[in-house]
């Protein structure tokens, strides 16, 4: 009798859970449909809308989504029903408005990789705003500044600066596939940071869209918010569209060299000495230490 009661209760629970899942799925689908309808009204050109919205029904959805997944250990069970790739600021404003109206969370992706998965997974219904189409870079060699849209990568920034000048540079990381949006807003340091500081130290203005859809610059957002987005993360305080950065004077030629040692070649003593002098040498000299296994695939590819 007790076993029969337990089985009956189990079946009821199973049915309840199944119904809950179905209802949640139905609500999520309705939410996304409502979002799409809202967006189509906000973006007047229907042809433009079809070119910037990707759902699982699009043949290119998987390719676009998988371009986010740099870390294969992260589960992809929580995918977005919509990937939005805006072409301009007004389309971003529309997406923010519609996501607020219909209760969708926003994940923001710049132009680079994301090892933690923060820009492409969520346990609640969400939409990805992918800034890959906003990657223009405008260099002013006279003023020694540049406006950089948040979808650009560091490699693109360095290339565009080098096109204009052999004596100007920007201080940021060494990996060319890193997106400027996450790098700048997260602090971002690189090979010139000892002399010139971090990327965040050399940002002099920014354009940000807040939760109400307002486009703010440094003056209108205020110094507290401007301070926060330079190291506190871009998505915490708004969606950053572009950054204005200070370009730095550098010599036309710089010297780079590597010293490689194994444990058998007394590498331990080299590391010990590096720890004691790295912070005391001239600011024009950066000493960077890498510890790698000689058996790692990365090392073999060098």
């Amino acid at each position: 009798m007790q076993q029969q009661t337990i089985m009956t209760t189990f079946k009821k629970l199973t049915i309840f859970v199944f119904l809950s899942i179905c209802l949640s799925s139905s609500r999520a689908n309705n939410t996304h449909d409502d979002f799409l309808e809202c967006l189509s009204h906000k973006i007047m050109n229907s042809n433009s809308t079809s070119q910037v919205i990707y759902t699982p029904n699009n043949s290119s959805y998987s390719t676009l989504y998988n371009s986010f997944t740099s870390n294969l250990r992260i589960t992809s069970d929580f995918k977005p029903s919509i990937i939005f790739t805006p072409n301009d600021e007004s389309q971003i404003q529309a997406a923010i408005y519609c996501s607020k109206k219909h209760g969708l969370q926003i994940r923001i992706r710049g132009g680079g990789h994301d090892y933690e998965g923060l820009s492409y997974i969520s346990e609640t219904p969400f939409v990805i705003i992918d800034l890959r189409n906003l990657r223009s870079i405008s260099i002013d060699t006279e003023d020694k500044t540049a406006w950089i849209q948040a979808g650009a990568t560091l490699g693109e920034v360095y290339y565009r600066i080098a096109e204009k000048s052999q004596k100007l540079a920007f201080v940021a990381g060494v990996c060319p596939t890193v997106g400027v949006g996450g790098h700048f807003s997260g602090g971002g340091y690189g090979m010139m940071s000892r002399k010139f500081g971090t990327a965040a130290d050399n940002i002099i203005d920014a354009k940000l869209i807040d939760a109400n859809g307002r486009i703010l610059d440094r003056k209108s957002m205020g110094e507290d918010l401007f301070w926060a987005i330079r190291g506190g993360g871009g998505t915490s305080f708004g969606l950053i569209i572009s950054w204005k950065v200070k370009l730095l004077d550098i010599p036309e030629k710089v010297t780079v060299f590597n010293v490689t040692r194994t444990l058998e070649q007394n590498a331990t003593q080299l590391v010990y000495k590096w720890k004691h002098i790295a912070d005391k040498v001239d600011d024009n000299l950066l000493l960077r230490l890498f510890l790698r296994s000689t058996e790692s695939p990365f090392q073999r590819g060098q």
Side-chain angles (χ1 to χ4, degrees):
M1 183 67 181
Q2 185 178 7
Q3 185 177 3
Q4 185 177 3
T5 303
I6 292 173
M7 288 301 296
T8 302
T9 304
F10 177 76
K11 288 178 181 178
K12 288 180 179 179
L13 285 172
T14 303
I15 293 170
F16 175 76
V17 170
F18 176 75
L19 286 173
S20 296
I21 291 172
C22 288
L23 288 171
S24 297
S25 177
S26 176
R27 281 196 295 268
N29 289 334
N30 290 337
T31 297
H32 290 118
D33 290 342
D34 291 340
F35 174 85
L36 289 174
E37 185 177 354
C38 174
L39 203 57
S40 66
H41 288 308
K42 281 290 189 179
I43 301 176
M44 304 307 294
N45 188 337
S46 58
N47 292 329
S48 173
T49 305
S50 65
Q51 294 170 2
V52 295
I53 291 177
Y54 300 85
T55 70
N57 296 325
N58 295 110
S59 58
S60 53
Y61 172 88
S62 294
T63 301
L64 189 62
Y65 179 77
N66 289 332
S67 68
F68 307 134
T69 53
S70 303
N71 188 344
L72 298 179
R73 292 177 297 178
I74 295 177
T75 178
S76 58
D77 292 339
F78 306 106
K79 292 182 179 179
S81 293
I82 300 161
I83 301 174
F84 183 53
T85 57
N87 290 313
D88 57 49
E89 298 167 355
S90 65
Q91 293 181 345
I92 297 175
Q93 290 172 305
I96 291 174
Y97 171 85
C98 293
S99 65
K100 282 183 63 180
K101 183 177 180 179
H102 297 291
L104 273 175
Q105 196 175 77
I106 290 177
R107 287 285 186 267
I108 303 167
R109 182 185 187 267
H113 54 247
D114 176 5
Y115 292 142
E116 294 180 292
L118 299 179
S119 66
Y120 58 85
I121 59 173
S122 175
E123 295 185 12
T124 60
F126 74 110
V127 57
I128 287 176
I129 298 181
D130 181 351
L131 302 177
R132 66 179 57 210
N133 295 331
L134 300 174
R135 58 195 322 129
S136 73
I137 300 164
S138 177
I139 311 294
D140 186 337
T141 55
E142 296 273 333
D143 195 36
K144 298 181 181 179
T145 60
W147 272 104
I148 304 167
Q149 284 192 311
T153 63
L154 296 184
E156 291 170 337
V157 172
Y158 299 154
Y159 185 84
R160 295 304 174 200
I161 295 173
E163 280 185 323
K164 299 287 186 178
S165 171
Q166 297 297 308
K167 295 184 178 181
L168 290 175
F170 183 67
V171 54
V174 298
C175 180
T177 61
V178 170
V180 301
H183 190 69
F184 291 2
S185 63
Y189 64 92
M191 297 294 283
M192 296 192 297
S193 290
R194 178 173 176 79
K195 184 174 179 65
F196 297 112
T198 67
D201 292 323
N202 291 280
I203 293 168
I204 54 180
D205 205 344
K207 290 178 71 176
L208 174 147
I209 302 180
D210 70 5
N212 296 315
R214 298 178 302 170
I215 299 178
L216 308 174
D217 60 8
R218 179 175 183 173
K219 182 177 180 181
S220 56
M221 75 175 72
E223 288 301 306
D224 284 348
L225 181 53
F226 183 65
W227 174 85
I229 63 175
R230 292 175 298 146
T235 58
S236 301
F237 306 99
L239 192 155
I240 298 165
I241 314 166
S242 57
W243 306 89
K244 186 178 184 181
V245 303
K246 178 174 61 177
L247 300 182
L248 307 163
D249 293 302
I250 59 168
E252 191 168 353
K253 293 183 180 180
V254 296
T255 302
V256 180
F257 61 91
N258 291 318
V259 177
T260 305
R261 293 288 186 273
T262 65
L263 287 176
E264 292 75 19
Q265 294 171 324
N266 218 9
T268 307
Q269 286 300 314
L270 190 65
V271 173
Y272 179 80
K273 184 167 288 189
W274 171 82
K275 287 174 60 179
H276 286 82
I277 68 167
D279 63 330
K280 299 178 179 65
V281 297
D282 191 283
D283 284 350
N284 290 297
L285 177 63
L286 172 75
L287 298 178
R288 195 176 188 196
L289 176 68
F290 285 93
L291 300 177
R292 295 176 182 149
S293 167
T294 55
E295 298 301 318
S296 71
F298 182 78
Q299 181 68 15
R300 288 198 300 270
Q302 295 301 298

